[in-house]
Amino acid sequence: MAPVDPHSFADSAHPFTTHISLTLYFDFPSSTISSATLLSLPSPYSGPLTLDTRSLSVSSVLDPLSLSQLPFSLSPSQPDPILGQSLTISLSNQTQVLILSQTSPLSSALQWLSPPQTFNKTHPFVYTQCQSIHARSIFPCQDTPAARVKYSAKLNIPRQLSAVMAARHVERRSPLLSEAQGVCEDSVWCGDDRMVEEFVMEQPIPPYLFAFAVGELGFREMGPRTRVYAEAVPEVLDAAATEFAGTEEMIQVGERLFGPYDWERFDLLVLPPSFPYGGMENPRMVFLTPTVIKGDASGAQVVAHELAHSWTGNLITNKNNDHFWLNEGFTTYAERRIVEAVQGEDIAALNIGIGWRGLVEEMERFKDNMEFTKLKTNQAGVDPDDVYSQVPYEKGFQFLWRIERQIGRPAFDDFLKKYIATFKFQSIDTDMFLNFLKANIPGIENEIDLKLWTEGTGIPPDAMEPVSNIYSKIVSLANAFNQGRMPREDEVADWKGQEWELYLENLPKSVEASQVTALDARYRLSESKDYEVRVAFLQLAISARCRDYYGVVEKTLKEVGRMKYLRPLYTTLVQGAGKEEEKVFARRVFTEACDCYHPIAQGVAEAILAKHA
């Protein structure tokens, strides 16, 4: 008996669930979901079955055939702050078990938005974010990517709302008396004001890809297998449809590069501004932050990343978070290949350059804990949200790019297709990948130090900054800023957000306040509608103690909940000596804004303030 995952109570001696059938009753006034979770095992089993839960109240565990009570226990009595509580059930020759439970209003996977927090201000909204280990706060499960499951779900919701899921929509219909499964009284389940939306996921997925959203939703058709959904606000839907108009072309490029698209549909959901990530690769229904709608189609690069996950991450999944680079390094590589094919080599090089700067900065962030600069990490006792970084993305990309340079792109493309076809619908670890690499590219271990790349700290000496004319020009202009030279208007006339982002990220961290205000007076970067540009500029302004911009900093921290922006702004405010005024400011802004942040983002911001303020 042994754990299969440092972030799960699941036991290797127990069978893995193969199918989950969910019956969910959404109660918006109490911000809770009552659920019946029917777990199916591959064969009859006797003995303990251990599941993950967090912030769940479990009312009963039943044999679904006889409806007799099954013995269960929750431990520890004081929940582990990272793992939650294990639910251990005693089975006697059962193939199925039915668990009745209810979520807490503080469920870490769920954000409940009141009407004023939505775009339309009229109806409430709820959505999930289950990566990395938050599915257990919605229903009991073996919450590890090692345990892939198929599922079906019935969502009982208020009639005026609609639901989407990362699954195939079966139907929207009136509730039936016989189907409540004990989650509530039949009269409540079948209330006149209720509807049921039914979904099914017929391919085995890791639990972190379980996803739904419920609210006042609308959509626009975008292609033969893509719709974009959002709150039913015409301006938001139209802007999203314009931004992501090239999605079908990207899917076709992905299929040419990586093999068939195995998920049937690739729909997009633009969430309210509090969504904590840029995107989440939920199969069939990618979740996106509205900050990727930039008005120039450049936000489609986030869509390219989430699309690439359809092959690397969703089809082939890391076995646990210690091997997260297998999801994100491969996907970053795949994303840049799609971007290069659709938008050209210069844009791909900008992407790589921005990523390189991000990787260098992460080395500084983790200088006191270099374990998290490795690709293959040891995260036992560590909350994966606390050490989430660009390292698995960018160092993972660099590793694959290094292999590509060694063997040539045509050979690497053949290898990638074979890798995906071999391991699809499986969860693997770093050693499985390396063994496959060595078997299929004989002698590669004599050309590249595979152990240094996967288990070594820092950036390996054979990693590479990108080479391109546009990249070199931007970096040299950033270096010239140190000598007091601002870029001329003719030099930046055709710059979009990415060029500005790369320029700002390459400026020295210590610049004069007068230089910052002069740059903004000419180019209005603090007013940019592209948050990548605005946040990079505001970091510069905070570092230079330009307090004139603190109003814009406050406005930005209050209008978005994406951690990519919250983390650097809060950190730049409070990190370092002599920042008492900034610390008071940061604490006040967080207190006023935190109710609009997703629970994951709240935790990250609180950790930054606890460490430095």
Side-chain angles (χ1 to χ4, degrees), residues 186-264:
D186 278 352
S187 58
V188 175
W189 179 267
C190 294
D192 291 343
D193 60 339
R194 309 296 293 189
M195 291 297 285
V196 167
E197 301 246 25
E198 217 173 318
F199 298 86
V200 61
M201 171 48 81
E202 291 154 324
Q203 293 138 314
I205 60 150
Y208 71 80
L209 291 178
F210 175 82
F212 61 71
V214 179
E216 185 187 18
L217 297 169
F219 65 86
R220 296 282 185 270
E221 295 286 355
M222 289 193 350
R225 45 190 161 173
T226 306
R227 284 176 172 177
V228 61
Y229 291 81
E231 284 184 67
V233 181
E235 310 89 87
V236 176
L237 285 163
D238 292 342
T242 302
E243 189 81 19
F244 309 131
T247 300
E248 177 60 29
E249 183 190 357
M250 291 198 298
I251 301 171
Q252 291 173 6
V253 169
E255 290 186 307
R256 286 201 299 275
L257 288 168
F258 313 120
Y261 179 78
D262 273 324
W263 303 95
E264 190 181 342

Side-chain angles (χ1 to χ4, degrees), residues 10 38 62 92 112 174 215 230 285 291 335 377 381 398 404 415 478 486 543 553 562-563 586:
L38 179 66
L62 305 168
S92 179
W112 299 86
S174 297
M285 178 66 70
T291 63
E335 165 211 336
T377 56
Q398 284 283 344
E404 184 208 282
F415 168 80
M486 206 182 298
S543 297
V553 172
R562 188 177 174 186
M563 292 190 294

Side-chain angles (χ1 to χ4, degrees), residues 470-504:
I470 188 166
Y471 179 78
S472 303
K473 175 189 162 189
I474 291 170
V475 172
S476 67
L477 282 172
N479 292 336
F481 190 81
N482 228 0
Q483 280 79 55
R485 173 162 129 59
M486 206 182 298
R488 298 189 311 270
E489 288 180 26
D490 63 297
E491 291 174 310
V492 302
D494 57 351
W495 281 15
K496 292 196 178 87
Q498 274 193 297
E499 287 86 344
W500 277 112
E501 184 187 355
L502 184 65
Y503 175 76
L504 290 166

Side-chain angles (χ1 to χ4, degrees), residues 295-318:
D296 60 5
S298 65
Q301 292 189 15
V302 172
V303 175
H305 183 89
E306 308 314 332
L307 169 65
H309 267 303
S310 302
W311 292 274
T312 52
N314 296 7
L315 267 189
I316 306 177
T317 307
N318 51 229

Side-chain angles (χ1 to χ4, degrees), residues 410-455:
F412 192 61
D413 282 356
D414 290 344
F415 168 80
L416 266 185
K417 277 187 175 159
K418 186 175 181 186
Y419 166 70
I420 291 165
T422 301
F423 291 110
K424 74 179 191 175
F425 296 116
Q426 295 181 50
S427 299
I428 71 167
D429 60 25
T430 302
D431 289 343
M432 290 169 74
F433 166 72
L434 292 177
N435 290 336
F436 184 80
L437 176 70
K438 289 184 280 193
N440 286 274
I441 306 173
I444 189 74
E445 66 271 27
N446 302 322
E447 309 293 338
I448 299 172
D449 190 336
L450 303 179
K451 189 171 172 115
L452 176 73
W453 269 99
T454 53
E455 297 180 37

